[in-house]
Coordinates of all heavy atoms in Angstrom, one line a residue:
M10 N 0.9 -1.2 0.0 CA 0.0 0.0 0.0 C 0.9 1.2 0.0 O 1.9 1.3 0.7 CB -0.9 0.0 1.2 CG -2.1 0.8 1.1 SD -3.5 0.2 2.1 CE -2.9 0.4 3.7
A11 N 0.5 2.2 -0.8 CA 1.3 3.4 -0.9 C 0.5 4.7 -0.5 O -0.7 4.7 -0.9 CB 1.9 3.6 -2.3
K12 N 1.1 5.6 0.2 CA 0.5 6.9 0.4 C 0.8 7.9 -0.7 O 2.0 8.1 -1.0 CB 1.0 7.4 1.8 CG 0.2 8.6 2.3 CD 0.8 9.0 3.7 CE 0.0 10.1 4.3 NZ 0.6 10.6 5.6
V13 N -0.2 8.4 -1.3 CA 0.0 9.2 -2.5 C -0.8 10.4 -2.5 O -1.8 10.6 -1.7 CB -0.3 8.4 -3.8 CG1 0.6 7.1 -3.9 CG2 -1.8 8.0 -3.9
K14 N -0.6 11.3 -3.5 CA -1.5 12.4 -3.8 C -1.5 12.6 -5.3 O -0.5 12.2 -6.0 CB -1.0 13.7 -3.0 CG 0.3 14.2 -3.5 CD 0.7 15.5 -2.7 CE 2.0 16.0 -3.2 NZ 2.5 17.1 -2.5
N15 N -2.5 13.3 -5.8 CA -2.5 13.5 -7.2 C -1.5 14.5 -7.6 O -1.2 15.5 -6.9 CB -3.9 14.1 -7.6 CG -5.0 13.1 -7.7 OD1 -4.8 12.1 -8.4 ND2 -6.0 13.2 -6.9
M16 N -0.9 14.3 -8.7 CA 0.1 15.2 -9.3 C -0.7 16.4 -9.7 O -1.8 16.4 -10.2 CB 0.6 14.6 -10.6 CG 2.1 14.5 -10.7 SD 2.5 13.6 -12.1 CE 2.5 14.9 -13.3
T17 N -0.1 17.6 -9.6 CA -0.7 18.8 -10.0 C 0.2 19.4 -11.2 O 1.3 18.9 -11.4 CB -0.7 19.8 -8.9 OG1 0.6 20.0 -8.4 CG2 -1.7 19.4 -7.8
G18 N -0.4 20.3 -11.9 CA 0.4 21.0 -13.0 C 0.1 20.3 -14.3 O -0.6 19.3 -14.4
P19 N 0.7 20.9 -15.3 CA 0.4 20.4 -16.7 C 0.9 19.0 -17.0 O 0.3 18.4 -17.9 CB 1.1 21.4 -17.6 CG 2.1 22.1 -16.7 CD 1.6 22.0 -15.3
D20 N 1.8 18.5 -16.3 CA 2.4 17.2 -16.6 C 1.3 16.1 -16.6 O 1.4 15.0 -17.2 CB 3.5 16.8 -15.7 CG 4.8 17.4 -16.1 OD1 4.8 18.1 -17.1 OD2 5.8 17.2 -15.3
R21 N 0.3 16.3 -15.8 CA -0.7 15.2 -15.6 C -1.6 15.2 -16.9 O -2.5 14.3 -17.0 CB -1.6 15.4 -14.4 CG -2.3 16.7 -14.3 CD -3.1 16.8 -13.0 NE -4.4 16.1 -13.0 CZ -5.0 15.6 -12.0 NH1 -4.5 15.7 -10.8 NH2 -6.2 15.0 -12.1
F22 N -1.5 16.1 -17.8 CA -2.4 16.1 -18.9 C -1.7 15.6 -20.2 O -2.3 15.6 -21.3 CB -3.0 17.5 -19.2 CG -3.8 18.0 -18.0 CD1 -3.4 19.0 -17.2 CD2 -5.0 17.3 -17.7 CE1 -4.2 19.4 -16.1 CE2 -5.7 17.7 -16.6 CZ -5.3 18.8 -15.8
H23 N -0.4 15.3 -20.1 CA 0.3 14.9 -21.4 C -0.3 13.5 -21.8 O -0.8 12.7 -20.9 CB 1.8 14.9 -21.2 CG 2.4 13.9 -20.3 ND1 2.8 12.7 -20.7 CD2 2.6 14.0 -19.0 CE1 3.3 12.0 -19.7 NE2 3.2 12.8 -18.6
N24 N -0.1 13.2 -23.0 CA -0.6 11.9 -23.6 C 0.3 10.8 -23.3 O 1.5 10.9 -23.2 CB -0.8 12.1 -25.1 CG -2.0 13.0 -25.4 OD1 -3.0 13.1 -24.7 ND2 -1.8 13.8 -26.4
P25 N -0.3 9.6 -23.2 CA 0.6 8.4 -23.1 C 1.3 8.1 -24.4 O 1.0 8.7 -25.4 CB -0.5 7.3 -22.8 CG -1.7 7.7 -23.4 CD -1.7 9.2 -23.3
P26 N 2.4 7.2 -24.3 CA 3.1 6.8 -25.6 C 2.0 6.4 -26.6 O 1.0 5.8 -26.2 CB 4.0 5.7 -25.1 CG 4.2 6.0 -23.6 CD 2.9 6.6 -23.1
S27 N 2.3 6.6 -27.9 CA 1.4 6.4 -28.9 C 0.8 4.9 -29.0 O -0.2 4.7 -29.6 CB 1.9 6.8 -30.3 OG 3.1 6.1 -30.5
E28 N 1.6 3.9 -28.5 CA 1.1 2.6 -28.6 C 0.0 2.2 -27.6 O -0.5 1.1 -27.6 CB 2.3 1.6 -28.5 CG 3.0 1.6 -27.2 CD 4.3 2.5 -27.3 OE1 4.2 3.6 -27.8 OE2 5.3 2.1 -26.7
Y29 N -0.3 3.2 -26.7 CA -1.3 3.0 -25.7 C -2.5 3.9 -26.0 O -2.3 5.1 -26.4 CB -0.8 3.3 -24.3 CG 0.4 2.4 -24.0 CD1 1.7 2.9 -24.0 CD2 0.2 1.1 -23.7 CE1 2.8 2.1 -23.7 CE2 1.3 0.2 -23.4 CZ 2.6 0.8 -23.4 OH 3.7 0.0 -23.2
D30 N -3.7 3.4 -25.8 CA -4.9 4.2 -26.0 C -5.1 5.2 -24.9 O -5.8 6.3 -25.2 CB -6.2 3.3 -26.0 CG -6.2 2.3 -27.1 OD1 -5.5 2.6 -28.1 OD2 -6.8 1.2 -27.0
S31 N -4.7 5.0 -23.7 CA -4.9 5.9 -22.6 C -3.9 5.5 -21.5 O -3.2 4.5 -21.6 CB -6.3 5.7 -22.1 OG -6.5 4.4 -21.5
W32 N -3.9 6.3 -20.5 CA -3.0 5.9 -19.3 C -3.5 4.7 -18.6 O -2.7 3.9 -18.1 CB -2.8 7.1 -18.4 CG -1.9 8.2 -18.9 CD1 -2.2 9.5 -19.3 CD2 -0.5 8.0 -19.1 NE1 -1.1 10.1 -19.7 CE2 0.0 9.3 -19.6 CE3 0.4 7.0 -19.0 CZ2 1.3 9.5 -20.0 CZ3 1.7 7.2 -19.3 CH2 2.2 8.4 -19.8
L33 N -4.8 4.5 -18.7 CA -5.4 3.3 -18.0 C -4.9 2.1 -18.9 O -4.5 1.0 -18.3 CB -6.9 3.3 -18.0 CG -7.5 2.2 -17.1 CD1 -7.1 2.4 -15.7 CD2 -9.0 2.2 -17.3
D34 N -4.9 2.2 -20.2 CA -4.5 1.1 -21.1 C -3.0 0.8 -20.8 O -2.6 -0.3 -20.7 CB -4.7 1.6 -22.5 CG -4.3 0.5 -23.5 OD1 -4.7 -0.7 -23.4 OD2 -3.6 0.8 -24.5
Y35 N -2.2 1.9 -20.6 CA -0.8 1.7 -20.3 C -0.6 0.9 -19.0 O 0.1 0.0 -18.9 CB -0.2 3.2 -20.1 CG 1.2 3.2 -19.6 CD1 2.3 3.0 -20.4 CD2 1.5 3.6 -18.3 CE1 3.6 3.1 -20.0 CE2 2.7 3.7 -17.8 CZ 3.8 3.4 -18.6 OH 5.1 3.5 -18.1
W36 N -1.4 1.3 -18.0 CA -1.3 0.6 -16.7 C -1.7 -0.9 -16.8 O -1.0 -1.8 -16.3 CB -2.2 1.3 -15.6 CG -2.1 0.7 -14.3 CD1 -1.2 1.1 -13.3 CD2 -2.8 -0.4 -13.7 NE1 -1.4 0.3 -12.2 CE2 -2.4 -0.6 -12.4 CE3 -3.8 -1.2 -14.2 CZ2 -2.9 -1.6 -11.6 CZ3 -4.4 -2.2 -13.4 CH2 -3.9 -2.4 -12.1
E37 N -2.8 -1.1 -17.6 CA -3.3 -2.5 -17.7 C -2.2 -3.3 -18.5 O -2.0 -4.5 -18.2 CB -4.6 -2.5 -18.4 CG -5.7 -2.0 -17.5 CD -7.1 -2.1 -18.2 OE1 -7.2 -2.1 -19.4 OE2 -8.1 -2.1 -17.4
K38 N -1.6 -2.8 -19.5 CA -0.6 -3.6 -20.3 C 0.6 -3.8 -19.5 O 1.2 -4.9 -19.6 CB -0.4 -2.9 -21.6 CG -1.6 -3.0 -22.6 CD -1.3 -2.5 -24.0 CE -2.5 -2.9 -24.9 NZ -2.9 -1.9 -25.8
K39 N 1.0 -2.8 -18.7 CA 2.3 -3.0 -17.9 C 2.0 -4.0 -16.8 O 3.0 -4.7 -16.4 CB 2.7 -1.7 -17.3 CG 3.2 -0.7 -18.3 CD 4.6 -1.1 -18.8 CE 5.2 0.0 -19.8 NZ 6.4 -0.5 -20.4
T40 N 0.9 -4.0 -16.2 CA 0.6 -4.9 -15.0 C 0.0 -6.3 -15.5 O 0.1 -7.2 -14.7 CB -0.4 -4.3 -14.0 OG1 -1.6 -4.1 -14.7 CG2 0.1 -3.0 -13.4
G41 N -0.5 -6.3 -16.7 CA -1.2 -7.5 -17.2 C -2.5 -7.7 -16.4 O -3.1 -8.8 -16.4
K42 N -3.0 -6.7 -15.8 CA -4.3 -6.7 -15.0 C -5.3 -5.9 -15.6 O -5.0 -5.0 -16.4 CB -4.0 -6.3 -13.5 CG -3.1 -7.2 -12.8 CD -2.9 -6.7 -11.4 CE -2.0 -7.6 -10.6 NZ -1.8 -7.2 -9.2
K43 N -6.6 -6.1 -15.2 CA -7.7 -5.3 -15.6 C -8.0 -4.4 -14.5 O -8.1 -4.8 -13.3 CB -8.9 -6.2 -15.9 CG -10.0 -5.5 -16.6 CD -9.8 -5.4 -18.1 CE -10.8 -4.5 -18.7 NZ -10.3 -3.8 -19.9
A44 N -8.0 -3.1 -14.7 CA -8.4 -2.1 -13.7 C -9.9 -2.1 -13.5 O -10.6 -1.5 -14.3 CB -7.8 -0.7 -14.1
S45 N -10.4 -2.8 -12.5 CA -11.8 -2.9 -12.3 C -12.4 -2.0 -11.2 O -13.5 -1.7 -11.1 CB -12.2 -4.3 -12.0 OG -11.4 -4.8 -10.9
T46 N -11.5 -1.5 -10.3 CA -12.0 -0.6 -9.2 C -10.9 0.5 -9.0 O -9.8 0.4 -9.4 CB -12.1 -1.4 -7.8 OG1 -10.8 -1.9 -7.5 CG2 -13.1 -2.5 -7.9
C47 N -11.4 1.5 -8.4 CA -10.5 2.6 -8.0 C -9.5 2.1 -7.0 O -9.8 1.3 -6.2 CB -11.4 3.7 -7.3 SG -10.5 5.1 -6.7
G48 N -8.2 2.6 -7.2 CA -7.2 2.1 -6.3 C -7.2 2.6 -4.9 O -6.5 2.1 -4.0
A49 N -7.9 3.7 -4.7 CA -7.9 4.3 -3.3 C -8.5 3.4 -2.4 O -9.6 2.8 -2.6 CB -8.7 5.7 -3.4
T50 N -7.9 3.2 -1.2 CA -8.4 2.1 -0.3 C -9.6 2.6 0.4 O -10.4 1.7 0.9 CB -7.3 1.8 0.8 OG1 -6.9 3.0 1.4 CG2 -6.1 1.2 0.1
D51 N -10.0 3.9 0.4 CA -11.2 4.3 1.1 C -12.3 4.6 0.0 O -13.2 5.3 0.3 CB -10.9 5.6 1.9 CG -10.3 6.7 1.1 OD1 -10.1 6.5 -0.1 OD2 -10.2 7.8 1.6
C52 N -12.2 4.0 -1.1 CA -13.1 4.2 -2.2 C -13.3 2.8 -2.9 O -12.3 2.1 -3.1 CB -12.6 5.2 -3.2 SG -13.6 5.4 -4.6
S53 N -14.5 2.5 -3.3 CA -14.7 1.2 -3.9 C -15.5 1.3 -5.3 O -16.1 0.4 -5.8 CB -15.5 0.2 -3.0 OG -16.7 0.9 -2.6
T54 N -15.3 2.5 -5.8 CA -16.0 2.8 -7.1 C -15.5 1.9 -8.2 O -14.3 1.7 -8.3 CB -15.8 4.3 -7.5 OG1 -16.3 5.1 -6.5 CG2 -16.4 4.7 -8.8
T55 N -16.4 1.4 -9.0 CA -16.0 0.6 -10.2 C -16.2 1.2 -11.5 O -15.9 0.7 -12.5 CB -16.7 -0.8 -10.1 OG1 -18.1 -0.5 -10.1 CG2 -16.3 -1.6 -8.9
K56 N -16.9 2.4 -11.5 CA -17.3 3.0 -12.7 C -16.4 4.2 -13.0 O -15.9 4.9 -12.1 CB -18.7 3.6 -12.6 CG -19.8 2.4 -12.4 CD -20.5 2.3 -13.7 CE -21.4 1.0 -13.8 NZ -21.7 0.3 -12.6
G57 N -16.1 4.4 -14.3 CA -15.3 5.6 -14.7 C -13.9 5.6 -14.3 O -13.4 6.7 -13.9
I58 N -13.3 4.5 -14.3 CA -11.9 4.4 -13.8 C -10.9 5.0 -14.9 O -11.1 4.6 -16.1 CB -11.5 2.9 -13.5 CG1 -12.5 2.3 -12.5 CG2 -10.0 2.9 -13.0 CD1 -12.6 3.0 -11.2
V59 N -10.0 5.8 -14.5 CA -9.0 6.4 -15.4 C -7.6 6.1 -14.8 O -7.5 5.7 -13.7 CB -9.2 7.9 -15.5 CG1 -10.5 8.2 -16.1 CG2 -9.0 8.6 -14.2
G60 N -6.6 6.3 -15.6 CA -5.2 6.1 -15.2 C -4.8 7.4 -14.5 O -4.5 8.4 -15.2
G61 N -4.7 7.5 -13.2 CA -4.4 8.7 -12.5 C -2.9 8.9 -12.3 O -2.2 7.9 -12.1
H62 N -2.5 10.2 -12.4 CA -1.1 10.5 -12.2 C -0.9 10.8 -10.7 O -1.5 11.8 -10.2 CB -0.7 11.7 -13.0 CG -0.5 11.5 -14.4 ND1 -1.6 11.2 -15.3 CD2 0.6 11.6 -15.3 CE1 -1.1 11.0 -16.5 NE2 0.1 11.3 -16.5
V63 N -0.1 10.1 -10.0 CA 0.1 10.3 -8.6 C 1.6 10.4 -8.3 O 2.5 9.9 -9.0 CB -0.5 9.3 -7.7 CG1 -2.1 9.2 -8.0 CG2 0.1 7.9 -8.0
V64 N 1.9 11.0 -7.1 CA 3.3 11.0 -6.6 C 3.2 10.4 -5.1 O 2.2 10.6 -4.5 CB 4.0 12.4 -6.6 CG1 4.3 12.8 -8.0 CG2 3.1 13.4 -5.9
M65 N 4.3 9.8 -4.7 CA 4.4 9.3 -3.3 C 4.4 10.5 -2.3 O 5.0 11.5 -2.6 CB 5.6 8.5 -3.2 CG 5.7 7.3 -4.1 SD 4.9 5.9 -3.4 CE 6.4 4.9 -3.1
V66 N 3.8 10.3 -1.2 CA 3.9 11.3 -0.1 C 4.8 10.7 1.0 O 4.7 9.5 1.3 CB 2.5 11.5 0.5 CG1 2.5 12.5 1.7 CG2 1.6 12.2 -0.6
G67 N 5.6 11.6 1.6 CA 6.5 11.2 2.7 C 7.6 10.3 2.2 O 8.0 9.4 2.9
S68 N 8.0 10.5 1.0 CA 9.1 9.7 0.4 C 10.0 10.6 -0.4 O 9.6 11.6 -0.9 CB 8.4 8.6 -0.5 OG 9.4 8.0 -1.3
S69 N 11.3 10.2 -0.5 CA 12.2 10.9 -1.4 C 12.0 10.6 -2.8 O 12.6 11.2 -3.7 CB 13.6 10.7 -0.9 OG 13.9 9.3 -1.0
D70 N 11.1 9.6 -3.1 CA 10.8 9.2 -4.4 C 9.9 10.2 -5.1 O 8.8 10.5 -4.6 CB 10.1 7.8 -4.4 CG 9.7 7.3 -5.7 OD1 9.9 8.0 -6.7 OD2 9.3 6.1 -5.8
T71 N 10.4 10.9 -6.1 CA 9.7 11.9 -6.8 C 9.1 11.5 -8.2 O 8.7 12.3 -9.0 CB 10.5 13.2 -7.0 OG1 11.7 12.8 -7.8 CG2 11.0 13.8 -5.7
T72 N 9.2 10.1 -8.4 CA 8.7 9.6 -9.7 C 7.2 9.9 -9.8 O 6.5 9.8 -8.8 CB 8.9 8.1 -9.6 OG1 10.3 7.8 -9.3 CG2 8.6 7.4 -11.0
H73 N 6.8 10.1 -11.1 CA 5.4 10.2 -11.4 C 4.9 8.8 -11.7 O 5.5 8.1 -12.5 CB 5.2 11.1 -12.6 CG 5.6 12.5 -12.3 ND1 5.9 13.4 -13.3 CD2 5.9 13.2 -11.1 CE1 6.3 14.6 -12.8 NE2 6.3 14.5 -11.4
Y74 N 3.8 8.4 -11.1 CA 3.2 7.1 -11.3 C 1.8 7.1 -11.8 O 1.1 8.1 -11.6 CB 3.2 6.3 -10.0 CG 4.5 6.0 -9.4 CD1 5.1 6.7 -8.3 CD2 5.3 4.9 -9.9 CE1 6.3 6.4 -7.8 CE2 6.5 4.6 -9.3 CZ 7.0 5.3 -8.3 OH 8.2 5.0 -7.7
I75 N 1.5 6.1 -12.5 CA 0.1 5.8 -13.0 C -0.5 4.8 -12.1 O 0.1 3.7 -11.9 CB 0.0 5.4 -14.4 CG1 0.7 6.4 -15.4 CG2 -1.4 5.1 -14.9 CD1 0.0 7.7 -15.4
T76 N -1.8 5.0 -11.6 CA -2.5 4.0 -10.9 C -4.0 4.2 -11.2 O -4.4 5.3 -11.5 CB -2.2 4.0 -9.4 OG1 -2.3 2.7 -8.9 CG2 -3.0 5.0 -8.6
P77 N -4.8 3.2 -11.2 CA -6.2 3.3 -11.5 C -7.0 4.1 -10.4 O -6.9 3.8 -9.2 CB -6.8 1.9 -11.6 CG -5.6 1.0 -11.7 CD -4.5 1.7 -10.9
L78 N -7.7 5.2 -10.8 CA -8.5 6.0 -9.9 C -9.8 6.3 -10.6 O -9.9 6.4 -11.8 CB -7.8 7.3 -9.6 CG -6.5 7.3 -8.8 CD1 -5.9 8.7 -8.7 CD2 -6.7 6.7 -7.4
C79 N -10.9 6.5 -9.8 CA -12.1 6.9 -10.3 C -12.0 8.4 -10.6 O -11.1 9.1 -10.0 CB -13.3 6.6 -9.4 SG -13.3 7.5 -7.8
R80 N -12.9 9.0 -11.3 CA -12.8 10.4 -11.6 C -12.8 11.3 -10.4 O -11.9 12.2 -10.3 CB -13.8 10.9 -12.6 CG -13.5 10.3 -14.0 CD -14.5 10.7 -15.1 NE -14.3 9.9 -16.3 CZ -13.3 10.1 -17.2 NH1 -12.5 11.1 -17.0 NH2 -13.2 9.4 -18.2
P81 N -13.7 11.1 -9.4 CA -13.6 12.0 -8.2 C -12.2 11.8 -7.5 O -11.7 12.8 -7.1 CB -14.7 11.5 -7.3 CG -15.7 10.9 -8.3 CD -14.9 10.3 -9.4
C82 N -11.7 10.6 -7.4 CA -10.4 10.4 -6.7 C -9.3 11.0 -7.5 O -8.3 11.5 -6.9 CB -10.2 9.0 -6.4 SG -11.2 8.3 -5.1
N83 N -9.5 11.1 -8.8 CA -8.4 11.7 -9.7 C -8.4 13.2 -9.5 O -7.4 13.8 -9.9 CB -8.7 11.3 -11.1 CG -7.5 11.6 -12.0 OD1 -6.4 11.4 -11.7 ND2 -7.8 12.0 -13.3
N84 N -9.4 13.7 -8.8 CA -9.4 15.2 -8.6 C -9.3 15.5 -7.1 O -9.3 16.7 -6.8 CB -10.7 15.7 -9.2 CG -10.7 15.8 -10.7 OD1 -9.8 16.3 -11.3 ND2 -11.7 15.2 -11.3
R85 N -9.1 14.6 -6.3 CA -9.0 14.9 -4.8 C -7.7 15.6 -4.5 O -6.7 15.3 -5.2 CB -9.3 13.7 -3.9 CG -8.4 12.5 -4.1 CD -9.0 11.3 -3.5 NE -8.9 11.2 -2.1 CZ -9.3 10.1 -1.4 NH1 -9.8 9.1 -2.0 NH2 -9.2 10.1 -0.1
A86 N -7.7 16.5 -3.5 CA -6.5 17.3 -3.2 C -5.8 16.8 -1.9 O -4.8 17.2 -1.6 CB -6.9 18.7 -3.0
D87 N -6.4 15.8 -1.3 CA -5.8 15.3 0.0 C -4.8 14.2 -0.3 O -4.6 13.8 -1.5 CB -6.9 14.8 0.9 CG -7.7 13.6 0.3 OD1 -7.7 13.4 -0.9 OD2 -8.4 12.9 1.1
T88 N -4.2 13.6 0.7 CA -3.4 12.4 0.5 C -4.2 11.2 0.8 O -5.1 11.3 1.7 CB -2.1 12.5 1.4 OG1 -2.5 12.5 2.7 CG2 -1.3 13.7 1.1
F89 N -4.0 10.1 0.2 CA -4.7 8.9 0.4 C -3.9 7.7 0.1 O -2.8 7.8 -0.5 CB -6.0 8.9 -0.5 CG -5.8 9.2 -1.9 CD1 -5.7 8.1 -2.9 CD2 -5.7 10.5 -2.4 CE1 -5.5 8.4 -4.2 CE2 -5.5 10.7 -3.8 CZ -5.4 9.7 -4.7
Y90 N -4.4 6.5 0.4 CA -3.6 5.3 0.2 C -4.2 4.5 -1.0 O -5.4 4.5 -1.2 CB -3.7 4.4 1.4 CG -2.9 4.9 2.6 CD1 -3.5 5.7 3.6 CD2 -1.6 4.5 2.7 CE1 -2.7 6.2 4.6 CE2 -0.8 5.0 3.8 CZ -1.4 5.8 4.7 OH -0.7 6.3 5.8
V91 N -3.4 4.0 -1.8 CA -3.8 3.1 -2.9 C -3.2 1.7 -2.7 O -2.1 1.5 -2.2 CB -3.4 3.7 -4.3 CG1 -4.1 5.0 -4.6 CG2 -1.9 3.9 -4.4
S92 N -4.0 0.7 -3.1 CA -3.6 -0.7 -3.0 C -3.2 -1.2 -4.3 O -2.8 -2.4 -4.4 CB -4.8 -1.5 -2.4 OG -5.9 -1.3 -3.1
T93 N -3.4 -0.4 -5.4 CA -3.0 -0.9 -6.7 C -1.6 -0.6 -7.0 O -1.0 0.3 -6.4 CB -3.9 -0.2 -7.7 OG1 -4.0 1.2 -7.3 CG2 -5.3 -0.8 -7.8
E94 N -1.0 -1.3 -8.0 CA 0.4 -1.1 -8.4 C 0.6 0.4 -8.9 O -0.3 0.9 -9.6 CB 0.8 -2.0 -9.5 CG 1.2 -3.4 -9.1 CD 0.0 -4.3 -9.2 OE1 -1.1 -3.9 -9.2 OE2 0.3 -5.5 -9.5
L95 N 1.8 0.9 -8.6 CA 2.2 2.2 -9.2 C 3.1 1.9 -10.3 O 4.2 1.3 -10.1 CB 2.9 3.0 -8.1 CG 2.0 3.3 -6.8 CD1 2.9 4.1 -5.8 CD2 0.8 4.1 -7.2
I96 N 2.7 2.3 -11.5 CA 3.6 2.1 -12.7 C 4.2 3.4 -13.1 O 3.5 4.4 -13.4 CB 2.8 1.5 -13.9 CG1 2.1 0.2 -13.4 CG2 3.7 1.3 -15.1 CD1 3.0 -0.9 -13.0
P97 N 5.6 3.5 -13.1 CA 6.2 4.8 -13.5 C 5.8 5.3 -14.8 O 5.7 4.5 -15.8 CB 7.7 4.5 -13.4 CG 7.8 3.2 -12.6 CD 6.5 2.5 -12.8
V98 N 5.6 6.6 -14.9 CA 5.3 7.3 -16.2 C 6.7 7.3 -17.0 O 7.7 7.6 -16.4 CB 4.9 8.7 -16.0 CG1 4.8 9.5 -17.3 CG2 3.5 8.7 -15.3
P99 N 6.6 6.9 -18.2 CA 7.9 6.9 -19.0 C 8.5 8.3 -19.2 O 7.7 9.2 -19.3 CB 7.5 6.2 -20.3 CG 6.0 6.4 -20.4 CD 5.5 6.5 -19.0
E100 N 9.8 8.4 -19.2 CA 10.4 9.6 -19.5 C 10.1 10.1 -20.9 O 10.0 9.3 -21.8 CB 12.0 9.5 -19.4 CG 12.4 9.2 -18.0 CD 12.3 10.3 -17.0 OE1 12.3 11.5 -17.4 OE2 12.1 10.0 -15.8
L101 N 9.9 11.4 -21.1 CA 9.5 11.9 -22.4 C 10.8 12.2 -23.2 O 11.8 12.5 -22.6 CB 8.6 13.1 -22.3 CG 7.3 12.9 -21.6 CD1 6.5 14.2 -21.4 CD2 6.4 11.9 -22.4
Ligands
ZN26 ZN1 -12.2 6.5 -6.1

């Protein structure tokens, strides 16, 4: 489980590499899993899941990661825990 927050700023709006349909598609192909629920541990939404851009909180790790989030969680401003894998965003 990782403590994260949503990335802010324009970097969260850039497009995934062209071989992926979306950031969620990127996460699913990298993990070999189907993103069926929001990754936030205090949320169980199964509808409208997107590949959210998050960063770790309380860590020296500044990597940008993709993890499945529902749209409301993709817009939350607090810190929260996710139980889904964090897949690093590729360097541009
Ligand atoms: Zn959620």
Side-chain angles (χ1 to χ4, degrees):
M10 203 151 64
K12 190 179 186 184
V13 300
K14 64 180 179 184
N15 279 305
M16 234 174 85
T17 55
D20 280 358
R21 62 180 278 156
F22 299 114
H23 70 90
N24 289 322
S27 56
E28 63 266 41
Y29 303 102
D30 294 337
S31 65
W32 284 114
L33 191 65
D34 182 50
Y35 172 79
W36 185 91
E37 289 185 334
K38 287 190 171 136
K39 291 287 184 190
T40 59
K42 295 181 177 179
K43 192 83 192 149
S45 52
T46 62
C47 177
T50 56
D51 57 356
C52 176
S53 55
T54 299
T55 57
K56 296 253 169 17
I58 306 300
V59 299
H62 288 65
V63 299
V64 290
M65 302 268 253
V66 174
S68 166
S69 58
D70 184 350
T71 57
T72 309
H73 299 158
Y74 292 103
I75 300 298
T76 209
L78 293 176
C79 69
R80 289 182 190 282
C82 286
N83 194 37
N84 286 308
R85 61 200 280 186
D87 62 340
T88 62
F89 52 98
Y90 288 92
V91 293
S92 56
T93 42
E94 280 99 328
L95 302 176
I96 303 298
V98 172
E100 295 292 332
L101 297 176

